[in-house]
Coordinates of all heavy atoms in Angstrom, one line a residue:
G1 N -26.3 5.8 -48.6 CA -27.5 5.6 -49.3 C -28.5 6.7 -48.8 O -28.3 7.4 -47.8
I2 N -29.6 6.8 -49.4 CA -30.7 7.7 -49.0 C -31.6 7.1 -48.0 O -32.1 6.0 -48.2 CB -31.3 8.1 -50.3 CG1 -30.5 8.9 -51.4 CG2 -32.6 9.1 -50.0 CD1 -31.1 9.0 -52.7
V3 N -31.9 7.9 -47.0 CA -32.9 7.3 -46.0 C -34.2 8.2 -46.2 O -34.1 9.4 -46.3 CB -32.3 7.6 -44.5 CG1 -33.4 7.3 -43.6 CG2 -31.1 6.9 -44.3
T4 N -35.3 7.5 -46.3 CA -36.5 8.2 -46.6 C -37.3 7.9 -45.3 O -37.4 6.8 -44.8 CB -37.3 7.5 -47.8 OG1 -36.4 7.5 -48.9 CG2 -38.6 8.1 -48.1
M5 N -38.1 9.0 -44.9 CA -39.0 8.8 -43.8 C -40.4 8.4 -44.4 O -40.8 9.1 -45.2 CB -39.2 10.2 -42.9 CG -37.8 10.6 -42.5 SD -37.0 9.5 -41.3 CE -38.0 9.9 -39.9
R6 N -41.0 7.5 -43.9 CA -42.3 7.0 -44.3 C -43.3 6.7 -43.1 O -42.8 6.4 -42.1 CB -42.0 5.7 -45.1 CG -41.4 5.9 -46.4 CD -41.0 4.6 -46.9 NE -42.1 4.0 -47.7 CZ -42.1 2.9 -48.4 NH1 -41.1 2.2 -48.6 NH2 -43.4 2.5 -48.9
M7 N -44.5 7.1 -43.4 CA -45.5 6.7 -42.3 C -45.6 5.3 -42.2 O -45.9 4.5 -43.0 CB -46.9 7.3 -42.6 CG -48.0 7.0 -41.6 SD -47.6 7.6 -39.8 CE -48.0 9.4 -40.1
C8 N -45.3 4.7 -40.9 CA -45.3 3.4 -40.5 C -46.2 3.0 -39.3 O -46.4 4.0 -38.5 CB -43.9 2.9 -40.1 SG -42.7 3.3 -41.6
K9 N -46.5 1.8 -39.1 CA -47.1 1.3 -38.0 C -46.0 0.7 -37.1 O -45.2 0.0 -37.7 CB -48.2 0.2 -38.4 CG -49.4 0.8 -39.1 CD -50.3 1.4 -38.1 CE -51.6 1.7 -38.8 NZ -52.6 2.3 -37.8
S10 N -46.0 1.0 -35.8 CA -45.1 0.3 -35.0 C -45.8 -0.9 -34.5 O -47.0 -0.8 -34.1 CB -44.7 1.2 -33.7 OG -44.0 2.4 -34.2
C11 N -45.2 -2.1 -34.4 CA -45.9 -3.3 -34.1 C -45.0 -4.2 -33.3 O -43.8 -4.0 -33.1 CB -46.2 -4.2 -35.4 SG -47.3 -3.3 -36.6
L12 N -45.5 -5.1 -32.6 CA -44.8 -6.1 -31.9 C -45.5 -7.5 -32.0 O -46.7 -7.5 -32.3 CB -44.6 -5.6 -30.4 CG -45.8 -5.5 -29.5 CD1 -46.1 -6.8 -28.9 CD2 -45.5 -4.5 -28.5
L13 N -44.8 -8.5 -31.8 CA -45.2 -9.8 -31.8 C -44.4 -10.7 -30.9 O -43.3 -10.4 -30.4 CB -45.3 -10.5 -33.2 CG -43.9 -10.6 -34.0 CD1 -43.1 -11.8 -33.6 CD2 -44.3 -10.7 -35.4
E14 N -44.9 -11.8 -30.4 CA -44.3 -12.7 -29.6 C -44.3 -14.0 -30.2 O -45.3 -14.4 -30.8 CB -44.9 -12.8 -28.1 CG -44.1 -13.6 -27.1 CD -44.5 -13.4 -25.8 OE1 -44.9 -12.2 -25.3 OE2 -44.2 -14.5 -25.1
C15 N -43.1 -14.6 -30.2 CA -42.9 -16.0 -30.8 C -42.1 -16.9 -29.9 O -41.5 -16.5 -29.1 CB -42.4 -16.0 -32.2 SG -40.8 -15.5 -32.3
A16 N -42.3 -18.2 -30.2 CA -41.4 -19.1 -29.4 C -40.0 -19.0 -30.0 O -39.9 -18.7 -31.1 CB -42.0 -20.5 -29.6
Y17 N -39.1 -19.6 -29.2 CA -37.7 -19.5 -29.7 C -37.6 -20.4 -31.0 O -36.7 -19.9 -31.8 CB -36.7 -20.2 -28.5 CG -36.5 -19.1 -27.5 CD1 -37.2 -19.0 -26.4 CD2 -35.4 -18.2 -27.6 CE1 -36.9 -18.1 -25.4 CE2 -35.1 -17.4 -26.7 CZ -35.9 -17.2 -25.4 OH -35.7 -16.3 -24.6
G18 N -38.2 -21.5 -31.1 CA -38.1 -22.3 -32.3 C -38.8 -21.7 -33.6 O -38.5 -22.1 -34.7
Q19 N -39.6 -20.7 -33.3 CA -40.1 -19.9 -34.5 C -39.3 -18.7 -34.9 O -39.5 -18.0 -36.0 CB -41.6 -19.4 -34.1 CG -42.6 -20.6 -33.8 CD -43.8 -20.0 -33.3 OE1 -43.8 -19.2 -32.4 NE2 -44.8 -20.6 -33.8
Y20 N -38.4 -18.3 -34.1 CA -37.7 -17.0 -34.3 C -37.1 -16.8 -35.6 O -37.3 -15.7 -36.2 CB -36.7 -16.8 -33.2 CG -35.8 -15.6 -33.4 CD1 -36.4 -14.4 -32.9 CD2 -34.6 -15.7 -33.7 CE1 -35.5 -13.1 -33.2 CE2 -33.7 -14.5 -33.9 CZ -34.3 -13.2 -33.6 OH -33.6 -12.2 -33.8
N21 N -36.2 -17.7 -36.0 CA -35.5 -17.5 -37.3 C -36.6 -17.4 -38.6 O -36.5 -16.6 -39.4 CB -34.6 -18.8 -37.6 CG -33.4 -18.6 -36.8 OD1 -32.9 -17.6 -36.3 ND2 -32.8 -19.8 -36.5
T22 N -37.7 -18.3 -38.5 CA -38.7 -18.1 -39.4 C -39.3 -16.8 -39.4 O -39.5 -16.2 -40.6 CB -39.7 -19.3 -39.3 OG1 -39.1 -20.5 -39.4 CG2 -40.8 -19.2 -40.3
V23 N -39.8 -16.3 -38.3 CA -40.4 -15.0 -38.2 C -39.6 -14.0 -38.5 O -40.0 -13.0 -39.4 CB -40.9 -14.8 -36.5 CG1 -41.4 -13.5 -36.3 CG2 -41.9 -15.8 -36.3
V24 N -38.3 -13.9 -38.2 CA -37.4 -12.8 -38.6 C -37.2 -12.8 -40.2 O -37.4 -11.7 -40.8 CB -36.0 -12.9 -38.0 CG1 -35.0 -12.0 -38.6 CG2 -36.1 -12.6 -36.5
R25 N -37.1 -14.1 -40.7 CA -37.0 -14.1 -42.3 C -38.2 -13.5 -43.0 O -38.2 -12.7 -43.8 CB -36.8 -15.6 -42.7 CG -36.8 -15.7 -44.2 CD -36.5 -17.2 -44.5 NE -37.4 -18.2 -43.9 CZ -38.6 -18.4 -44.2 NH1 -39.3 -17.8 -45.2 NH2 -39.3 -19.3 -43.5
I26 N -39.5 -13.8 -42.5 CA -40.7 -13.4 -43.0 C -40.8 -11.8 -42.8 O -41.2 -11.1 -43.7 CB -41.9 -14.0 -42.3 CG1 -42.0 -15.5 -42.7 CG2 -43.2 -13.4 -42.7 CD1 -42.8 -16.3 -42.0
L27 N -40.4 -11.3 -41.6 CA -40.5 -9.8 -41.4 C -39.5 -9.3 -42.5 O -40.0 -8.3 -43.2 CB -39.9 -9.5 -40.0 CG -40.9 -9.9 -38.8 CD1 -40.2 -9.6 -37.6 CD2 -42.2 -9.1 -38.9
G28 N -38.3 -9.7 -42.7 CA -37.6 -9.1 -43.8 C -38.1 -9.2 -45.2 O -38.1 -8.2 -45.8
Q29 N -38.6 -10.3 -45.5 CA -39.4 -10.5 -46.8 C -40.4 -9.5 -47.1 O -40.7 -9.1 -48.2 CB -39.7 -12.0 -47.0 CG -38.8 -13.0 -47.1 CD -39.3 -14.4 -47.1 OE1 -40.4 -14.6 -46.6 NE2 -38.4 -15.4 -47.6
K30 N -41.2 -9.2 -45.9 CA -42.4 -8.5 -46.2 C -42.2 -7.0 -45.9 O -43.1 -6.2 -45.8 CB -43.5 -9.1 -45.2 CG -43.9 -10.4 -45.5 CD -44.4 -10.6 -46.9 CE -44.7 -12.1 -47.2 NZ -45.1 -12.2 -48.6
G31 N -40.9 -6.7 -45.9 CA -40.6 -5.2 -45.7 C -40.6 -4.5 -44.3 O -40.5 -3.4 -44.1
A32 N -40.8 -5.4 -43.2 CA -40.6 -4.9 -41.8 C -39.2 -4.6 -41.4 O -38.3 -5.2 -42.0 CB -41.2 -5.9 -40.8
V33 N -39.0 -3.6 -40.6 CA -37.7 -3.2 -40.1 C -37.8 -3.4 -38.6 O -38.5 -2.9 -37.8 CB -37.2 -1.7 -40.3 CG1 -36.1 -1.4 -39.7 CG2 -37.4 -1.5 -41.8
I34 N -36.9 -4.3 -38.1 CA -36.9 -4.8 -36.6 C -36.2 -3.6 -35.9 O -35.1 -3.2 -36.2 CB -36.1 -6.1 -36.4 CG1 -36.9 -7.2 -37.3 CG2 -35.9 -6.4 -35.0 CD1 -36.3 -8.6 -37.1
D35 N -36.8 -3.2 -34.8 CA -36.3 -2.1 -33.9 C -35.7 -2.8 -32.7 O -34.7 -2.2 -32.1 CB -37.5 -1.2 -33.5 CG -38.0 -0.5 -34.8 OD1 -37.2 0.1 -35.5 OD2 -39.3 -0.5 -34.9
D36 N -36.3 -3.9 -32.2 CA -35.8 -4.4 -30.8 C -36.3 -5.7 -30.8 O -37.2 -6.2 -31.3 CB -36.5 -3.7 -29.7 CG -35.7 -3.9 -28.3 OD1 -34.6 -4.3 -28.3 OD2 -36.4 -3.8 -27.2
T37 N -35.4 -6.7 -30.0 CA -35.8 -8.0 -29.8 C -35.5 -8.2 -28.3 O -34.4 -7.9 -27.8 CB -34.9 -8.9 -30.7 OG1 -35.1 -8.5 -32.0 CG2 -35.3 -10.4 -30.5
E38 N -36.5 -8.8 -27.6 CA -36.3 -9.1 -26.3 C -36.5 -10.6 -25.9 O -37.4 -11.2 -26.5 CB -37.4 -8.3 -25.3 CG -37.1 -6.8 -25.3 CD -38.1 -6.0 -24.6 OE1 -38.8 -6.8 -23.6 OE2 -38.3 -4.8 -24.8
Y39 N -35.7 -11.2 -25.1 CA -35.7 -12.7 -24.9 C -36.2 -12.9 -23.4 O -35.6 -12.4 -22.6 CB -34.3 -13.2 -25.1 CG -33.8 -13.0 -26.6 CD1 -33.0 -12.0 -26.8 CD2 -34.1 -13.9 -27.5 CE1 -32.5 -11.6 -28.1 CE2 -33.6 -13.6 -28.8 CZ -32.8 -12.6 -29.1 OH -32.4 -12.3 -30.4
G40 N -37.2 -13.6 -23.3 CA -37.8 -13.9 -22.1 C -38.3 -15.4 -22.2 O -37.7 -16.3 -22.6
A41 N -39.6 -15.5 -21.7 CA -40.2 -17.0 -21.9 C -40.4 -17.2 -23.3 O -40.2 -18.5 -23.7 CB -41.6 -16.9 -21.1
G42 N -40.6 -16.1 -24.2 CA -40.6 -16.3 -25.5 C -39.7 -15.2 -26.1 O -39.0 -14.5 -25.3
V43 N -39.8 -14.9 -27.4 CA -39.1 -13.8 -28.1 C -40.0 -12.8 -28.4 O -41.1 -13.1 -29.1 CB -38.3 -14.2 -29.2 CG1 -37.5 -13.1 -29.8 CG2 -37.4 -15.5 -28.9
T44 N -39.8 -11.5 -28.0 CA -40.8 -10.3 -28.3 C -39.9 -9.6 -29.3 O -38.9 -9.1 -29.0 CB -41.2 -9.5 -27.0 OG1 -41.8 -10.5 -26.1 CG2 -42.1 -8.4 -27.5
I45 N -40.5 -9.3 -30.5 CA -39.8 -8.5 -31.6 C -40.8 -7.2 -31.7 O -41.8 -7.3 -32.0 CB -39.6 -9.4 -32.9 CG1 -38.9 -10.6 -32.6 CG2 -39.1 -8.4 -33.9 CD1 -39.0 -11.6 -33.8
T46 N -40.1 -6.0 -31.7 CA -40.6 -4.9 -32.0 C -40.2 -4.4 -33.3 O -39.0 -4.4 -33.6 CB -40.4 -3.7 -30.9 OG1 -40.8 -4.2 -29.7 CG2 -41.0 -2.6 -31.1
F47 N -41.0 -3.9 -34.2 CA -40.7 -3.6 -35.6 C -41.7 -2.5 -36.2 O -42.7 -2.1 -35.6 CB -40.7 -4.9 -36.5 CG -42.0 -5.5 -36.6 CD1 -42.9 -5.1 -37.7 CD2 -42.5 -6.5 -35.7 CE1 -44.1 -5.8 -37.7 CE2 -43.7 -7.1 -35.9 CZ -44.5 -6.6 -36.8
H48 N -41.2 -1.8 -37.3 CA -42.1 -1.1 -38.0 C -42.2 -1.4 -39.4 O -41.4 -2.2 -40.0 CB -41.6 0.5 -37.9 CG -40.3 0.8 -38.4 ND1 -39.1 0.7 -37.6 CD2 -39.9 1.3 -39.6 CE1 -38.2 1.1 -38.3 NE2 -38.5 1.6 -39.5
I49 N -43.4 -1.1 -40.0 CA -43.7 -1.5 -41.3 C -44.7 -0.5 -41.9 O -45.5 0.1 -41.2 CB -44.3 -3.0 -41.3 CG1 -44.6 -3.5 -42.7 CG2 -45.5 -3.0 -40.5 CD1 -44.9 -5.1 -42.6
V50 N -44.6 -0.4 -43.3 CA -45.6 0.4 -44.0 C -47.0 -0.2 -43.8 O -47.1 -1.5 -44.0 CB -45.2 0.5 -45.5 CG1 -46.2 1.4 -46.4 CG2 -43.9 1.3 -45.6
P51 N -48.2 0.5 -43.5 CA -49.4 0.0 -43.2 C -50.0 -1.0 -44.3 O -50.6 -1.9 -44.1 CB -50.3 1.2 -43.0 CG -49.4 2.2 -42.5 CD -48.0 2.0 -43.1
A52 N -49.6 -0.6 -45.6 CA -50.1 -1.4 -46.7 C -49.5 -2.8 -46.9 O -50.0 -3.7 -47.3 CB -49.9 -0.7 -48.1
D53 N -48.4 -3.0 -46.1 CA -47.7 -4.4 -46.1 C -48.2 -5.2 -44.9 O -47.8 -6.5 -44.9 CB -46.2 -4.1 -46.0 CG -45.5 -3.5 -47.2 OD1 -46.2 -3.4 -48.3 OD2 -44.5 -2.9 -47.1
I54 N -49.0 -4.7 -44.0 CA -49.4 -5.5 -42.9 C -50.2 -6.8 -43.3 O -50.0 -7.9 -42.8 CB -50.1 -4.5 -41.8 CG1 -49.1 -3.7 -41.3 CG2 -50.7 -5.5 -40.8 CD1 -49.7 -2.7 -40.3
P55 N -51.4 -6.6 -44.2 CA -52.1 -7.8 -44.6 C -51.2 -9.0 -45.0 O -51.4 -10.1 -44.7 CB -53.0 -7.3 -45.7 CG -53.2 -5.9 -45.3 CD -51.8 -5.4 -44.8
A56 N -50.2 -8.7 -45.9 CA -49.4 -9.9 -46.4 C -48.5 -10.3 -45.4 O -48.3 -11.6 -45.4 CB -48.5 -9.3 -47.6
L57 N -48.0 -9.6 -44.4 CA -47.2 -10.0 -43.4 C -48.0 -10.9 -42.4 O -47.6 -11.9 -42.1 CB -46.7 -8.8 -42.6 CG -45.9 -9.1 -41.3 CD1 -44.8 -10.0 -41.4 CD2 -45.5 -7.9 -40.5
E58 N -49.2 -10.5 -42.2 CA -50.1 -11.2 -41.3 C -50.4 -12.7 -41.9 O -50.4 -13.6 -41.2 CB -51.4 -10.6 -41.0 CG -51.1 -9.4 -40.0 CD -52.5 -8.6 -39.7 OE1 -53.3 -8.3 -40.6 OE2 -52.6 -8.3 -38.4
R59 N -50.8 -12.7 -43.2 CA -50.9 -13.9 -43.9 C -49.7 -14.9 -43.8 O -49.8 -16.0 -43.5 CB -51.4 -13.7 -45.4 CG -52.8 -13.2 -45.5 CD -53.3 -13.4 -47.0 NE -52.5 -12.5 -47.9 CZ -52.7 -11.3 -47.9 NH1 -53.6 -10.7 -47.5 NH2 -52.0 -10.6 -48.8
A60 N -48.7 -14.4 -44.0 CA -47.3 -15.0 -44.2 C -47.0 -15.7 -42.8 O -46.6 -16.7 -42.6 CB -46.2 -14.3 -44.7
L61 N -47.2 -14.8 -41.8 CA -47.0 -15.3 -40.3 C -48.0 -16.4 -39.9 O -47.6 -17.4 -39.4 CB -47.1 -14.1 -39.4 CG -45.9 -13.2 -39.3 CD1 -46.3 -11.9 -38.5 CD2 -44.7 -13.7 -38.8
A62 N -49.2 -16.2 -40.3 CA -50.3 -17.2 -39.9 C -49.9 -18.6 -40.7 O -50.0 -19.6 -40.0 CB -51.6 -16.7 -40.3
D63 N -49.5 -18.4 -42.0 CA -49.3 -19.8 -42.6 C -48.0 -20.3 -42.1 O -48.0 -21.6 -42.0 CB -48.9 -19.3 -44.2 CG -50.2 -19.0 -44.9 OD1 -51.3 -19.2 -44.4 OD2 -50.0 -18.5 -46.0
A64 N -47.0 -19.6 -41.8 CA -45.7 -20.3 -41.3 C -45.8 -20.7 -39.9 O -45.0 -21.6 -39.5 CB -44.6 -19.3 -41.4
T65 N -46.7 -20.2 -39.1 CA -46.7 -20.5 -37.7 C -48.1 -21.2 -37.1 O -48.4 -21.2 -36.0 CB -46.5 -19.4 -36.8 OG1 -47.6 -18.4 -37.0 CG2 -45.2 -18.6 -37.2
A66 N -48.8 -21.7 -38.2 CA -50.1 -22.3 -37.9 C -51.0 -21.3 -37.0 O -51.8 -21.7 -36.1 CB -50.0 -23.5 -37.2
G67 N -50.9 -20.0 -37.2 CA -51.8 -19.1 -36.6 C -51.4 -18.8 -35.2 O -52.0 -18.1 -34.4
S68 N -50.2 -19.1 -34.8 CA -49.7 -19.0 -33.3 C -49.0 -17.7 -33.0 O -48.9 -17.2 -32.0 CB -48.8 -20.1 -32.8 OG -47.6 -20.1 -33.6
V69 N -48.7 -17.0 -34.1 CA -48.1 -15.7 -33.9 C -48.9 -14.6 -34.6 O -49.3 -14.6 -35.7 CB -46.6 -15.7 -34.6 CG1 -46.0 -14.2 -34.6 CG2 -45.7 -16.6 -33.9
E70 N -49.3 -13.6 -33.7 CA -50.1 -12.5 -34.3 C -49.4 -11.2 -33.8 O -48.8 -11.1 -32.9 CB -51.4 -12.4 -33.5 CG -52.4 -13.7 -33.8 CD -53.6 -13.6 -33.2 OE1 -54.0 -12.5 -32.8 OE2 -54.3 -14.7 -33.1
L71 N -49.5 -10.3 -34.8 CA -48.9 -8.9 -34.6 C -49.8 -8.1 -33.8 O -51.1 -8.0 -34.1 CB -48.2 -8.4 -35.8 CG -49.1 -7.9 -37.0 CD1 -49.7 -6.4 -36.7 CD2 -48.3 -7.9 -38.3
I72 N -49.4 -7.1 -33.1 CA -50.1 -6.2 -32.2 C -49.6 -4.7 -32.7 O -48.3 -4.5 -32.7 CB -49.9 -6.3 -30.7 CG1 -50.3 -7.8 -30.2 CG2 -50.6 -5.1 -30.1 CD1 -49.7 -8.1 -29.0
E73 N -50.6 -4.0 -33.3 CA -50.2 -2.6 -33.7 C -50.0 -1.7 -32.5 O -50.8 -1.8 -31.6 CB -51.2 -2.1 -34.7 CG -51.1 -2.9 -36.1 CD -52.2 -2.3 -37.1 OE1 -52.6 -1.1 -36.9 OE2 -52.6 -3.1 -37.9
D74 N -49.0 -0.9 -32.5 CA -48.6 -0.1 -31.3 C -48.4 1.3 -31.6 O -47.3 1.8 -31.3 CB -47.5 -0.8 -30.5 CG -47.1 -0.1 -29.2 OD1 -48.2 0.3 -28.5 OD2 -46.0 -0.1 -28.8
G75 N -49.2 1.8 -32.5 CA -48.9 3.3 -32.7 C -48.5 3.5 -34.2 O -48.2 2.4 -34.8
E76 N -48.3 4.7 -34.6 CA -47.7 4.9 -35.9 C -46.8 6.2 -35.9 O -47.0 7.1 -35.0 CB -48.8 5.2 -36.9 CG -49.7 6.3 -36.7 CD -50.9 6.3 -37.8 OE1 -51.2 5.3 -38.4 OE2 -51.5 7.3 -37.9
A77 N -45.9 6.3 -36.7 CA -45.0 7.4 -36.7 C -44.1 7.4 -38.0 O -44.2 6.4 -38.8 CB -43.9 7.2 -35.6
Y78 N -43.6 8.5 -38.3 CA -42.7 8.5 -39.5 C -41.4 7.9 -39.0 O -40.8 8.5 -38.1 CB -42.5 10.1 -39.9 CG -43.7 10.6 -40.7 CD1 -44.6 11.3 -40.1 CD2 -43.7 10.2 -42.2 CE1 -45.8 11.8 -40.9 CE2 -44.8 10.8 -42.9 CZ -45.8 11.5 -42.3 OH -46.9 12.0 -43.1
L79 N -40.9 7.0 -39.8 CA -39.8 6.2 -39.4 C -39.0 6.1 -40.7 O -39.4 6.1 -41.7 CB -40.0 4.9 -38.9 CG -40.8 5.1 -37.4 CD1 -41.5 3.7 -37.1 CD2 -39.9 5.4 -36.3
P80 N -37.5 5.9 -40.5 CA -36.6 5.8 -41.6 C -36.6 4.3 -42.3 O -36.7 3.4 -41.5 CB -35.2 6.1 -40.9 CG -35.4 5.6 -39.7 CD -36.8 5.9 -39.1
F81 N -36.5 4.5 -43.6 CA -36.2 3.3 -44.4 C -35.0 3.6 -45.3 O -35.1 4.7 -45.9 CB -37.5 3.0 -45.3 CG -38.5 2.2 -44.7 CD1 -39.5 2.8 -43.7 CD2 -38.8 0.9 -44.9 CE1 -40.5 2.1 -43.2 CE2 -39.5 0.1 -44.3 CZ -40.5 0.7 -43.4
D82 N -34.1 2.7 -45.5 CA -33.1 2.8 -46.5 C -33.6 2.5 -47.9 O -34.3 1.5 -48.0 CB -32.0 1.8 -46.2 CG -31.2 2.2 -44.9 OD1 -31.1 3.3 -44.5 OD2 -30.8 1.3 -44.1
E83 N -33.5 3.4 -48.7 CA -33.9 3.1 -50.1 C -32.7 2.6 -50.9 O -31.7 2.9 -50.7 CB -34.4 4.5 -50.7 CG -35.6 5.1 -50.0 CD -36.9 4.3 -50.2 OE1 -37.0 3.6 -51.3 OE2 -37.7 4.2 -49.3

């Protein structure tokens, strides 16, 4: 396939283990690409996403988790997307 480089925001979020499957599903539906997952007291997911898709992602996460999961923007870079 063709890989396209796009300007993205690097983001992270933390969720409870019980929310993990729901959060990963929403990230995929909203166009986010997961870069790393760390398991500790909770689950920390690092991902990148096109900036225009962030508002819809934030709304979906808030709806699905009763506002308990918030994403933190952590810089921006050109990152690969499979087209």
Side-chain angles (χ1 to χ4, degrees):
I2 297 171
V3 174
T4 304
M5 302 298 282
R6 298 172 71 178
M7 179 55 77
C8 300
K9 291 279 188 182
S10 295
C11 302
L12 61 91
L13 60 79
E14 188 168 328
C15 65
Y17 282 90
Q19 297 170 316
Y20 174 76
N21 288 334
T22 299
V23 169
V24 168
R25 180 177 47 79
I26 291 168
L27 289 172
Q29 288 173 342
K30 300 301 177 187
V33 177
I34 295 173
D35 298 312
D36 190 32
T37 305
E38 294 179 18
Y39 302 92
V43 184
T44 302
I45 303 170
T46 307
F47 61 94
H48 61 275
I49 188 168
V50 175
D53 293 340
I54 291 175
L57 173 61
E58 288 180 316
R59 280 193 302 276
L61 287 171
D63 289 349
T65 66
S68 65
V69 173
E70 294 181 20
L71 65 87
I72 299 162
E73 294 182 21
D74 189 31
E76 58 187 20
Y78 281 96
L79 295 165
F81 274 81
D82 292 330
E83 294 293 332

